């Protein structure tokens, strides 16, 4: 029975992968140039600029220029760079155009704060879209005896969010890594996540080596791009596929 379930999950995942990878090949035809991921990305030099300011501030003060965060804040949302402080203290001459504080769509975050502070970007548009869906899922569950608006199971304990059940058109949620539409998942707990499995698969295939089965594959996205996988489950490489797990 477990083998049958595993094959069903793999079959559903590979079918989705084929569809989205085909969409990737056609992206240049389907979307105007200003909507393609490589053209929508904030420049990498903005990340380098803020990274240099954070490094200088840390060297001079022994502190990180970050805003206070609740202990329960997810890792990829937690330590937001205090850009206003960096500007006020002379470490930034101006705020990056991509920054929320400047009217842009990104928060600048610090990761690895205790070892090697690293600046990355959080897509506020996706964060808000998923937070809105989370509220709608909670309302649905409250009015349906705890049942969730779950569709086909994509990973163990994770299903695709069924927008027909939720009562509304599916929002256009796109991966900051590829610019392609991504699935929204709902866990058995009722928590909503974005599915970055396709992005992770493409990075693994590009690297050419199978990851360690215990490796948190979200780190691939963080290492290879300027972005964080906001609202993401943990992924492990299991039997040739990225498989989602609930984050601890």
């Amino acid at each position: 029975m477990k083998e049958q379930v595993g094959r069903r999950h793999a079959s559903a995942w590979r079918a989705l992968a084929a569809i989205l990878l085909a969409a990737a090949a056609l992206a240049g035809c389907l979307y105007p140039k200003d909507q393609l991921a490589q053209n929508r990305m904030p420049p990498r030099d903005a990340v380098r600029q803020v990274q240099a300011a954070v490094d200088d501030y840390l060297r001079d003060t022994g502190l990180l220029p970050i805003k206070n965060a609740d202990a329960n804040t997810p890792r990829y949302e937690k330590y937001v760079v205090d850009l206003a402080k960096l500007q006020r203290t002379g470490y930034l001459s101006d705020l990056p155009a991509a920054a929320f504080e400047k009217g842009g769509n990104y928060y600048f975050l610090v990761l690895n704060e205790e070892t090697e502070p690293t600046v990355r970007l959080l897509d506020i548009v996706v964060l808000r879209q998923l937070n809105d869906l989370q509220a709608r899922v909670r309302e649905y569950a409250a009015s349906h005896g705890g049942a969730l608006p779950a569709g086909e199971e994509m990973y163990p304990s994770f299903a695709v969010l069924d927008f027909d059940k939720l009562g509304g058109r599916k929002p256009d949620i796109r991966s900051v890594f590829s610019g392609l539409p991504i699935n929204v998942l709902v866990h058995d707990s009722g928590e909503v996540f974005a599915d970055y499995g396709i992005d992770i698969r493409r990075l693994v295939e590009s690297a050419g080596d199978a990851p360690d089965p215990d490796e948190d594959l979200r780190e691939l996205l963080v290492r290879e791009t300027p972005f964080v996988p906001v609202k993401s489950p943990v992924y492990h490489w299991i039997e040739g596929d990225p498989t989602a797990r609930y984050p601890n």
Side-chain angles (χ1 to χ4, degrees), residues 71-151:
N72 296 322
T73 303
R75 176 169 183 253
Y76 295 119
E77 302 172 36
K78 193 166 189 177
Y79 294 116
V80 177
V81 177
D82 192 338
L83 296 176
K85 177 181 288 187
L86 288 175
Q87 185 179 32
R88 187 171 62 249
T89 52
Y91 290 89
L92 281 177
S93 59
D94 194 13
L95 302 184
F100 170 77
E101 295 87 343
K102 191 79 169 181
N105 291 328
Y106 299 91
Y107 288 135
F108 286 75
L109 300 184
V110 169
L111 304 178
N112 307 321
E113 65 284 350
E114 294 184 358
T115 55
E116 188 177 357
T118 304
V119 174
R120 288 294 183 265
L121 296 168
L122 182 159
D123 186 336
I124 299 171
V125 174
V126 172
L127 177 65
R128 288 176 173 171
Q129 287 174 314
L130 292 171
N131 283 342
D132 177 67
L133 289 173
Q134 183 67 74
R136 290 170 60 188
V137 166
R138 289 194 180 113
E139 291 173 2
Y140 180 95
S143 61
H144 289 78
L148 298 172

Side-chain angles (χ1 to χ4, degrees), residues 5 14 22 28 35 60 71 74 93 115 120-121 123 140 142 144 149 163 170 184 207 214 218 227 233 235 239 248:
V5 172
R14 290 190 176 104
Q35 292 185 23
D60 294 343
S93 59
T115 55
R120 288 294 183 265
L121 296 168
D123 186 336
Y140 180 95
H144 289 78
F163 286 93
K170 180 179 179 181
V184 179
D214 295 326
R218 296 177 299 178
F227 305 104
Y235 289 91
E239 297 182 356
N248 294 325

Side-chain angles (χ1 to χ4, degrees), residues 57-68:
Y57 187 94
L58 177 62
R59 181 198 62 217
D60 294 343
T61 69
L63 302 170
L64 285 171
I66 54 178
K67 299 179 181 180
N68 292 331

